[in-house]
Amino acid sequence: MNSLDGAPDGQAISPEPERLLQPVAEGQRITVMLAAFEGWNDAGEAASDSLHYLNKLWQGKKVASVDADDYYDFQFTRPTVRRTAAGTRKVKWPSTRLYKASVPDSNVDVVLVLGTEPSYRWRAYTAELLVHAETLKVDYVVLIGALLADVPHSRPIPVSTTSDDTVLRQRLNLEASQYEGPVGIVGVLGEFALLAGLPTVSLWAAVPHYVAQAPSPKAQLAILNKIEDLLQVPLDTQALSEESEAWERGVDELATEDPEIAAYVRQLEEAKDTADLPEASGESIAREFERYLKRRGKDKP
């Protein structure tokens, strides 16, 4: 899995952080669907873990689900057995669940789609999700994926933002995805959402392929920071930031034990630093400072 649907070759650089939501009248609420799927579109489980994090943070309430029997091959995506808090064994079936939450101190509601990529009947599956989107009065769709890439773990994780919606792309100064090849359910849902008239954005995090195993907290944090920019809502990611730092230290230690891996990481670092050199400006610093001010304002009594 070196490249997935919706993952662009490059990303437009905008002088301002991308803001998905436009100002609305006082008292009016905006609903954004955030969707991620375990499986082929989820390297290091960074995409699905980022939405699980938001669902817990915002205390999402289950509002709908998709019947697993209609879309999953249980010999391919097998159910698992887990113990409940009471100590009893329970079978957990692969499924897709929708949760709704209101973002504190904002006019934004979110619908979180948490599921496993289906085995078959993708068009019917996607249509069912869009029926739920219509029922829940969704205004925007944000699709989230993660792919394996030749990027160093010691540098910021790239998160590409693309849109095939012409109006949205021009407003956010984005590019359309240039990817051609096999697609996953994220790409199919993106196309059907646009056909349904829903403005849609895709976010793809690049996970270092030599540390592809889950969890991938640094990629997860990068996705959450991008969502924070798009929705313009502050997120409490302190605990995840600490996990990300610990993860990076752990990978550093493993890399130093293997001279070939260490040399390869240095090669990736040099390539990344060279590619980023023309962009060396105050943009990233300004973006982080803006995020800091928003969190500080939220924390003030």
Side-chain angles (χ1 to χ4, degrees):
M1 183 176 59
N2 291 322
S3 59
L4 302 180
D5 55 289
D9 296 332
Q11 178 183 358
I13 302 170
S14 57
E16 298 290 338
E18 300 95 345
R19 291 175 171 83
L20 177 66
L21 310 182
Q22 293 183 307
V24 296
E26 185 176 353
Q28 183 179 347
R29 301 195 66 80
I30 300 173
T31 301
V32 180
M33 173 179 277
L34 303 170
F37 301 88
E38 297 175 16
W40 198 59
N41 299 144
D42 195 21
E45 299 181 3
S48 57
D49 280 349
S50 66
L51 291 200
H52 283 294
Y53 188 95
L54 292 178
N55 195 39
K56 183 177 180 181
L57 178 67
W58 291 331
Q59 300 179 359
K61 305 298 182 185
K62 182 180 173 183
V63 292
S65 62
V66 176
D67 189 349
D69 287 338
D70 290 338
Y71 303 107
Y72 293 98
D73 179 350
F74 297 129
Q75 288 186 325
F76 178 75
T77 308
R78 290 187 176 272
T80 57
V81 174
R82 296 185 179 180
R83 290 196 177 274
T84 66
T88 58
R89 287 159 55 88
K90 184 177 181 180
V91 175
K92 181 181 179 182
W93 297 89
S95 64
T96 300
R97 296 182 175 89
L98 287 78
Y99 299 83
K100 188 169 185 180
S102 295
V103 181
D105 303 317
S106 79
N107 66 334
V108 180
D109 296 324
V110 293
V111 174
L112 301 163
V113 180
L114 296 168
T116 303
E117 184 177 68
S119 305
Y120 37 68
R121 300 184 66 219
W122 283 18
R123 284 176 290 189
Y125 174 88
T126 303
E128 187 169 340
L129 286 180
L130 291 176
V131 168
H132 288 305
E134 182 178 10
T135 301
L136 296 167
K137 303 186 185 307
V138 168
D139 299 297
Y140 296 91
V141 174
V142 178
L143 301 170
I144 301 161
L147 71 156
L148 300 180
D150 293 326
V151 295
H153 72 280
S154 53
R155 298 293 185 268
I157 296 292
V159 180
S160 299
T161 311
T162 62
S163 179
D164 289 325
D165 181 283
T166 303
V167 175
L168 199 59
R169 188 168 66 246
Q170 292 176 350
R171 177 161 66 84
L172 299 182
N173 193 24
L174 300 176
E175 292 182 355
S177 172
Q178 301 302 311
Y179 173 76
E180 294 183 277
V183 299
I185 194 62
V186 171
V188 175
L189 179 56
E191 179 174 321
F192 275 65
L194 285 171
L195 290 174
L198 283 172
T200 303
V201 171
S202 294
L203 307 180
W204 283 87
V207 176
H209 70 88
Y210 55 91
V211 280
Q213 66 275 17
S216 187
K218 190 169 183 177
Q220 183 185 345
L221 181 62
I223 289 172
L224 290 174
N225 286 340
K226 182 63 70 172
I227 292 174
E228 187 176 44
D229 289 339
L230 281 174
L231 302 188
Q232 289 295 288
V233 295
L235 299 178
D236 181 3
T237 55
Q238 180 60 39
L240 187 58
S241 296
E242 294 173 359
E243 290 180 25
S244 175
E245 293 170 1
W247 175 86
E248 186 170 339
R249 289 194 300 269
V251 178
D252 285 341
E253 294 173 2
L254 291 174
T256 56
E257 296 174 359
D258 188 324
E260 291 186 4
I261 292 294
Y264 178 63
V265 171
R266 286 195 297 272
Q267 179 183 345
L268 291 177
E269 290 173 340
E270 291 172 1
K272 175 65 175 173
D273 293 343
T274 300
D276 287 347
L277 191 59
E279 302 171 13
S281 67
E283 179 188 345
S284 60
I285 298 174
R287 184 171 299 198
E288 287 301 318
F289 186 61
E290 182 181 6
R291 184 178 291 119
Y292 164 76
L293 290 177
K294 287 177 181 175
R295 288 174 179 159
R296 185 182 179 190
K298 181 180 179 182
D299 294 338
K300 284 184 177 181

